[in-house]
Amino acid sequence: MDAGKDNGRRRSSDYDPETALDRLARSDRGAAYVIGQLGQSLDGRIATPTGASKYINGHEALRHLHRIRACVDAVLVGVGTAIADNPQLTTRHVDGANPVRVIVDPQGRMPEGLAMLRDGAAPVLVVTLPGSDVPRGAEPVHLHCDGGGHIRPGTIAAALRERGLHRLLVEGGAATLARFIDAGELDELHLMVAPIVLGSGKTGLNLNPIAGLDEALRPLVRTMRFKDGDMLCMCDMRRPVAV
């Protein structure tokens, strides 16, 4: 699709769903594959200072997200995202089966009134600590925390694979996605950039600090343009670019 490349960044082409998801489509359905997504502004913001985030990205980016959901076995968000957005996490904008919904909730904060608990669209799993209860309509996945109060991403992914959920989409929030990247658990990242500058507000990826540029992540990146203006950066997290 892309005729040339420069330091691992290929020239942009128009959006093509099959090409955008070709690595996921080619992967072994029974093999582990973790894909993350993040939508942001040109200046790396995912919300305004008041928390407004719907919708920074356009409709075509939303459809792309739903296409990813249709390709995976499970979609995962942190409980903060579940509370703030009350998401459905379905494939309603495209054809395809709904994935299993997974909520990471170590402290048992998930409320009973979320729409996904009663819509019957797909099962809901809540990753929480041993002995913790979950709301009606959800099934617990009891795992232990690390010393920092979080359940390790690798532990979560392994527990989901034991349930036959090999393809995983880490959809949000930004802190949950960052933990998966820091843990080296992400195979691919789809970064959707809207042609808008917010100038302030919540930033997207906040990873563990590094001391020098030699420690920076340098994934192989392909880019595409959505017809309504957003840019899609597809980052192969398993193929670093040589410098």
Side-chain angles (χ1 to χ4, degrees):
M1 70 166 205
D2 298 314
K5 60 182 179 178
D6 178 22
N7 196 26
R9 294 170 178 80
R10 302 183 181 219
R11 289 201 295 268
S12 177
S13 66
D14 290 335
Y15 177 75
D16 174 66
E18 292 185 2
T19 303
L21 294 172
D22 60 357
R23 291 189 65 236
L24 183 59
R26 290 198 311 267
S27 65
D28 183 352
R29 190 81 202 191
Y33 199 92
V34 182
I35 185 169
Q37 79 84 35
L38 184 70
Q40 66 174 43
S41 64
L42 281 172
D43 55 337
R45 310 285 180 170
I46 60 172
T48 68
T50 62
S53 61
K54 292 186 177 180
Y55 288 97
I56 290 176
N57 295 97
H59 183 69
E60 290 304 312
L62 179 62
R63 283 175 54 83
H64 177 71
L65 171 59
H66 284 222
R67 289 188 184 100
I68 302 176
R69 291 178 185 172
C71 291
V72 298
D73 303 313
V75 54
L76 179 147
V77 299
V79 68
T81 296
I83 293 171
D85 297 343
N86 192 13
Q88 295 174 265
L89 304 179
T90 62
T91 61
R92 59 195 179 276
H93 289 297
V94 299
D95 294 329
N98 295 319
V100 173
R101 284 83 62 90
V102 181
I103 312 300
V104 181
D105 184 19
Q107 307 305 321
R109 298 167 51 207
M110 187 169 171
E112 296 184 355
L114 295 183
M116 71 174 74
L117 295 173
R118 57 180 183 271
D119 64 10
V124 178
L125 303 180
V126 178
V127 178
T128 189
L129 299 183
S132 297
D133 294 328
V134 300
R136 181 179 300 178
E139 178 183 349
V141 178
H142 289 130
L143 299 173
H144 291 281
C145 275
D146 59 20
H150 300 292
I151 301 173
R152 295 182 185 276
T155 302
I156 296 172
L160 295 178
R161 289 195 297 271
E162 290 178 0
R163 293 170 173 262
L165 305 175
H166 300 281
R167 293 182 171 198
L168 176 63
L169 166 61
V170 181
E171 186 168 321
T176 299
L177 178 58
R179 280 193 285 273
F180 270 79
I181 294 175
D182 278 330
E185 290 293 332
L186 215 63
D187 294 290
E188 187 171 355
L189 172 65
H190 282 212
L191 184 65
M192 292 178 277
V193 183
I196 184 174
V197 177
L198 301 185
S200 61
K202 186 177 180 181
T203 55
L205 291 179
N206 294 294
L207 304 178
N208 290 335
I210 60 175
L213 291 179
D214 59 325
E215 301 176 64
L217 298 174
R218 298 179 184 272
L220 179 66
V221 178
R222 298 178 296 160
T223 59
M224 289 186 176
R225 295 183 302 267
F226 294 106
K227 65 181 181 182
D228 55 0
D230 285 9
M231 179 72 70
L232 171 63
C233 298
M234 297 164 287
C235 309
D236 187 344
M237 307 304 287
R238 299 304 184 197
R239 293 180 63 190
V241 174
V243 294

